[in-house]
Amino acid sequence: MPYDPSAFPPFAVTVDLVVLTVRRHALCALAVRRGEPPFQGRWALPGGFVRADEDLAQAAARELAEETGLRVHDPSVPAQDHGAHLEQLATYGDPKRDPRMRVVSVAHLALAPDLPAPRAGGDASNARWAPVEELLQQGGYGRDTEPVAPLAFDHAQILADGVERARSKIEYSSLATAFCPPEFTVGELRRVYEAVWGVALDPRNFHRKVTGTPGFLVPTGGTTTRQGGRPAQLFRAGGATLLNPPMLRPEV
Amino acid sequence: MPYDPSAFPPFAVTVDLVVLTVRRHALCALAVRRGEPPFQGRWALPGGFVRADEDLAQAAARELAEETGLRVHDPSVPAQDHGAHLEQLATYGDPKRDPRMRVVSVAHLALAPDLPAPRAGGDASNARWAPVEELLQQGGYGRDTEPVAPLAFDHAQILADGVERARSKIEYSSLATAFCPPEFTVGELRRVYEAVWGVALDPRNFHRKVTGTPGFLVPTGGTTTRQGGRPAQLFRAGGATLLNPPMLRPEV
DNA sequence: AGTGCTTATCGTCAGGCAGACGACTATGAT
DNA sequence: ATCATAGTCGTCTGCCTGACGATAAGCACT
């Protein structure tokens, strides 16, 4: 069968981003306000079309930089100590997910430390960090007792999948450190787990677990007192990327 | 910005399938021989274009049925006791992955019990089950001391990702039962783990683990002796889909 | 300076689970 | 009858976790 362009239907391919961070003890996602139909005025995940000469990961990294200014952390650059974690999440291709045309969206998951105010192409009022609980509740009320419309398209599903991926992945990997600044304390790391999982963890057992896992944390020698209380040792993420045995998420 | 078809480049979207099964104590994948360029005559993963009105999962299920005759197991049909497991794996979209045009492929992972001879549109010589080791070794020799060409396109990467997904997912889920017939013994299930992981497991500890996990296995009352030796109890997969604590994969 | 509050860090103890492995059972093959 | 094969039940030891007591070292008061 020779190459026949009419043998397959054309698709538009986009990348959508679930960008997560931890702010004020809550897991938050980046949302942008749609300026055009469909779903005009509603909140959505950031994203855009994949360009003709671009890999999917490149497109996701480009969109992430455009929306947040974040560079993606590249393991091949050892000196580069900052930058977000970015990974492919899943692909969504329901024929009716975009009323305009057939769009297949390759969703990506990005994890970032707490950032300054977001920018969406320079317009701050059209982008915000919102607690994922608030974005996922359908037709409820947000923090300001302001009615919240569901996310545009199937973005609520994408966000839920991204949050679930993050929740499960910090169990068995060092991914939680992606939410932390380059140097952090055990308590700050514990608060990341608590925010992402929405549970309280025993500080003593947590401390034993993370400091007792070889290669997970590397002490930098410094201490800090930015949390109040007794000064805490500062750490950097160690080379170990897998956590074995995993951190156990408490039952329910 | 109004809707402008020229604002985004057109893509072809395909689904590719990593269909895994366990045959003769080895993890095998379904491969089909390409009948046309590019990569004519080389082995590849089964797959095809997504149709205009089709969801991605529907397209994958359709391709799976066309290649193997397998129906996908639908949890909403309780009486249906056979059928493959099918899940989305990842999406591959390098601009040069197909020399003809820009193709984004949404790979899916399917797990099936040992099947009769494969069929590829009725032509058996163009489809086969091959041990994944054989398909993944680059330019080596297969079981018949016959030189093996690498898989077409980026299918070696896709297969490797699918195998890795299967290997890790049987740790913490009941997915290994998808490789078994509807009724199976503890030993048969253990041989699945051994084939997928490529290790030997202690039969006594394995038996204790799987029979001691509530809801994982349900005895059917019958016994069988198809493996030789003492007759073994027959089980069906229980309702538990998550295995907690997980089955531990031995080190290295 | 002292008191109280906060957070960090170290220790102890009991229970659960996994790895190693012995022992016994029930079939088919010779 | 004996052996080979596979299945099933126990035992023991070590590791890890959850629960929680105790101490350390800062800050904000008075």
Side-chain angles (χ1 to χ4, degrees), chain B residues 202 204-205 208-209 225 228-231 245-246 248:
Chain B
D202 186 293
R204 298 158 290 190
N205 292 337
R208 177 180 62 190
K209 174 70 177 173
T225 165
R230 169 174 165 181
L248 293 182

Side-chain angles (χ1 to χ4, degrees), chain A residues 11-203:
Chain A
F11 289 72
V13 176
T14 61
V15 291
D16 285 325
L17 292 178
V18 177
V19 190
L20 299 180
T21 194
V22 173
R23 322 192 85 194
R24 291 190 239 99
H25 291 199
L27 182 63
C28 294
L30 183 61
V32 299
R33 196 189 290 274
R34 285 188 59 79
E36 64 199 78
F39 302 100
Q40 185 167 22
R42 292 263 286 278
W43 293 98
L45 300 178
F49 291 109
V50 178
R51 295 180 182 164
D53 56 351
E54 214 178 26
D55 193 2
L56 300 173
Q58 287 168 12
R62 173 178 54 78
E63 291 287 342
L64 181 64
E66 289 176 4
E67 302 284 348
T68 68
L70 277 172
R71 297 273 185 82
V72 172
H73 178 76
D74 183 351
S76 65
V77 185
Q80 170 199 27
D81 59 3
H82 224 98
H85 170 89
L86 181 63
E87 67 178 47
Q88 195 186 105
L89 178 58
T91 300
Y92 300 82
D94 187 291
K96 300 206 161 57
R97 64 181 295 277
D98 188 318
R100 294 167 298 181
M101 55 187 164
R102 187 71 200 265
V103 178
V104 164
S105 176
V106 184
H108 286 68
L109 174 65
L111 307 185
D114 196 0
L115 296 172
R119 58 172 214 204
D123 188 348
S125 74
N126 287 331
R128 64 164 183 154
W129 293 106
V132 296
E133 307 300 332
E134 189 174 316
L135 290 173
L136 288 176
Q137 62 182 322
Q138 298 270 327
Y141 290 84
R143 168 166 40 90
D144 307 320
T145 333
E146 176 192 348
V148 180
L151 288 174
F153 304 108
D154 51 2
H155 288 186
Q157 182 64 53
I158 298 176
L159 175 59
D161 291 348
V163 168
E164 182 49 39
R165 168 83 64 95
R167 283 186 174 147
S168 64
K169 210 156 178 182
I170 64 173
E171 287 185 34
Y172 57 89
S173 77
S174 62
L175 209 55
T177 59
F179 287 114
C180 293
E183 297 199 349
F184 52 90
T185 70
V186 173
E188 289 165 347
L189 184 61
R190 174 170 49 82
R191 278 179 276 277
V192 165
Y193 276 90
E194 291 179 334
V196 175
W197 284 345
V199 298
L201 299 175
D202 185 295

